[in-house]
Amino acid sequence: MKLISVKQLQLSLKKNKLKFSVTVTLKKDVLDPQGKVVQNTLQNLGMDNLKSVRQGKYFELEVNDSDQAQAEKKVDDMCKKLLANLIIEDYKINKI
Amino acid sequence: MNSSVIVFPGSNCDRDIAIALEKMQFKNQMVWHKETKLPKSDLIVVPGGFSYGDYLRSGAIAGKSLIINEVIKAANDGCLILGICNGFQILTETGLLKGALLRNKNLKFINKDINIKVINNETKFSNKYKKNQVLNINIAHNEGNYFTNQNHLNELNNDNLIAFKYCDKDGKINEISNPNGSLENIAGIFNSKKNILGMMPHPERMVDNLISNNDGANLFSSLLK
């Protein structure tokens, strides 16, 4: 049996992990009353040049995989199956 | 008639609906969400409440639970399915009913007795009502703002799949009588086969004149026919 140090083990685990962020927002044609209230409040605070605010959700996901394309496909599947409701929401995936 | 009520962590209208069903002579059973088999049922009710604390989106987590697979199978076999409030949200999350329920337009949780109009009274769920009958019924929700795409909205209208619309006490359907911003004042819809009804108002709270009124009772007696 090959013995490896804890540090090496941690390093190799880290290597096989990829981190992604997912942002879910309401589709353009869906009313976002929360975003609207935030927008109005910011404008009341004097932020006159503010044009619009859309509120959304942010997720950070760690995937056990070293192949980025494959991992991203998995995250995409997660978005479609649960994280976003495609009738009302759009999502964006970013590698972090 | 045999009925099953699905119970999730956070369901809170499950016992109300059970009492209503038993009062209307259904033989009812409660089914915990971790079960993988449904008892033989003519009617399955997905009750109101806050399943899984409304985490992620109302109904999103419950919509992926073990028992829901069985509910979907039963629905496809033609079993009658009734989703009330959070139950309606769960049914849209499973895809059994199209569309979605968004946050109320005024961003407030609304709990009050409102009026709805019976749009289609020729279904298993509504045949004891008169067409255009106005019912006084309770709503209690934060996400009741029904939304769907234009194609599906056309389908709802053309195929008579709208069950109820919010209205005023005289039956007028307008913006003032729309409590939550729902498209076209929609309060409840059927699937294309009309064996599934999802609705935000609570008929189970309206089956006893002593505590409210009796306007919800005909929904259950329709099913017994």
Side-chain angles (χ1 to χ4, degrees):
Chain A
M1 192 164 68
K2 198 176 151 199
L3 285 173
I4 53 167
S5 72
V6 172
K7 206 167 179 186
Q8 266 177 317
L9 182 72
Q10 281 173 338
L11 267 173
S12 74
L13 279 176
K14 216 174 172 182
K15 248 209 263 166
N16 291 325
K17 236 186 237 170
L18 290 167
K19 234 174 156 182
F20 294 92
S21 74
V22 171
T23 313
V24 178
T25 45
L26 285 169
K27 281 186 196 289
K28 260 197 210 136
D29 55 342
V30 176
L31 188 76
D32 174 17
Q34 289 188 89
K36 202 85 195 153
V37 169
V38 173
Q39 179 187 327
N40 290 342
T41 308
L42 285 170
Q43 281 163 342
N44 290 343
L45 288 171
M47 320 293 184
D48 296 332
N49 54 356
L50 177 70
K51 205 175 151 224
S52 74
V53 176
R54 302 287 286 174
Q55 188 174 316
K57 293 178 191 131
Y58 177 81
F59 304 86
E60 277 184 6
L61 310 172
E62 276 184 345
V63 183
N64 276 328
D65 209 319
S66 50
D67 179 341
Q68 190 174 329
Q70 203 172 289
E72 206 165 323
K73 225 177 136 197
K74 271 185 211 160
V75 173
D76 192 68
D77 201 32
M78 293 176 204
C79 291
K80 286 198 173 102
K81 282 199 173 133
L82 184 67
L83 297 182
N85 179 341
L86 299 183
I87 300 161
I88 48 169
E89 293 168 326
D90 288 324
Y91 63 89
K92 259 189 220 140
I93 302 168
N94 280 308
K95 170 86 182 61
I96 48 174
Chain B
M1 201 156 173
N2 294 310
S3 60
S4 295
V5 173
I6 313 291
V7 185
F8 295 101
S11 294
N12 64 8
C13 302
D14 47 331
R15 281 168 289 177
D16 304 43
I17 184 79
I19 288 167
L21 288 166
E22 277 155 20
K23 188 180 175 199
M24 303 304 292
Q25 311 302 319
F26 283 80
K27 262 182 78 188
N28 187 54
Q29 285 197 62
M30 308 302 270
V31 181
W32 183 236
H33 68 110
K34 282 190 177 161
E35 299 284 336
T36 48
K37 261 201 179 142
L38 273 167
K40 203 173 169 317
S41 321
D42 307 295
L43 169 73
I44 300 167
V45 184
V46 188
F50 298 87
S51 59
Y52 297 90
D54 276 350
Y55 290 177
L56 191 64
R57 294 178 303 275
S58 314
I61 309 291
K64 310 289 178 223
S65 61
L66 284 177
I67 195 69
I68 281 296
N69 295 327
E70 297 305 303
V71 176
I72 293 171
K73 269 187 224 157
N76 291 335
D77 289 342
C79 180
L80 297 168
I81 316 277
L82 170 62
I84 302 166
C85 197
N86 188 222
F88 185 13
Q89 295 162 343
I90 292 168
L91 292 182
T92 60
E93 282 287 343
T94 61
L96 284 175
L97 288 172
K98 290 186 203 162
L101 292 139
L102 297 166
R103 189 96 185 255
N104 294 341
K105 202 174 169 186
N106 66 0
L107 295 174
K108 289 190 179 108
F109 184 96
I110 307 166
N111 178 9
K112 65 175 177 186
D113 294 355
I114 47 90
N115 297 295
I116 58 172
K117 200 174 197 172
V118 180
I119 305 298
N120 183 350
N121 69 333
E122 293 168 351
T123 73
K124 286 189 172 157
F125 295 92
S126 56
N127 55 67
K128 286 277 168 70
Y129 290 115
K130 293 190 193 86
K131 190 170 168 64
N132 295 329
Q133 188 178 340
V134 176
L135 315 175
N136 188 246
I137 202 156
N138 180 262
I139 53 167
H141 58 247
N142 200 36
E143 286 90 8
N145 178 353
Y146 183 73
F147 177 86
T148 194
N149 62 37
Q150 191 60 49
N151 279 346
H152 180 231
L153 188 63
N154 295 343
E155 188 188 323
L156 288 174
N157 280 311
N158 297 340
D159 299 347
N160 209 1
L161 300 178
I162 297 172
F164 307 105
K165 282 189 177 186
Y166 300 108
C167 65
D168 66 14
K169 62 177 183 3
D170 303 316
K172 237 182 250 147
I173 296 164
N174 53 25
E175 212 180 318
I176 305 164
S177 58
N178 187 344
N180 51 27
S182 282
L183 270 182
E184 293 193 4
N185 285 40
I186 289 172
I189 59 161
F190 300 106
N191 65 331
S192 56
K193 285 202 291 190
K194 298 194 183 92
N195 65 317
I196 306 174
L197 167 63
M199 61 192 292
M200 289 314 294
H202 287 276
E204 79 280 16
R205 296 185 183 179
M206 273 43 202
V207 292
D208 197 326
N209 280 324
L210 258 182
I211 51 169
S212 51
N213 64 40
N214 213 22
D215 283 4
N218 273 349
L219 192 142
F220 302 103
S221 55
S222 293
L223 291 163
L224 289 171
K225 201 175 147 187

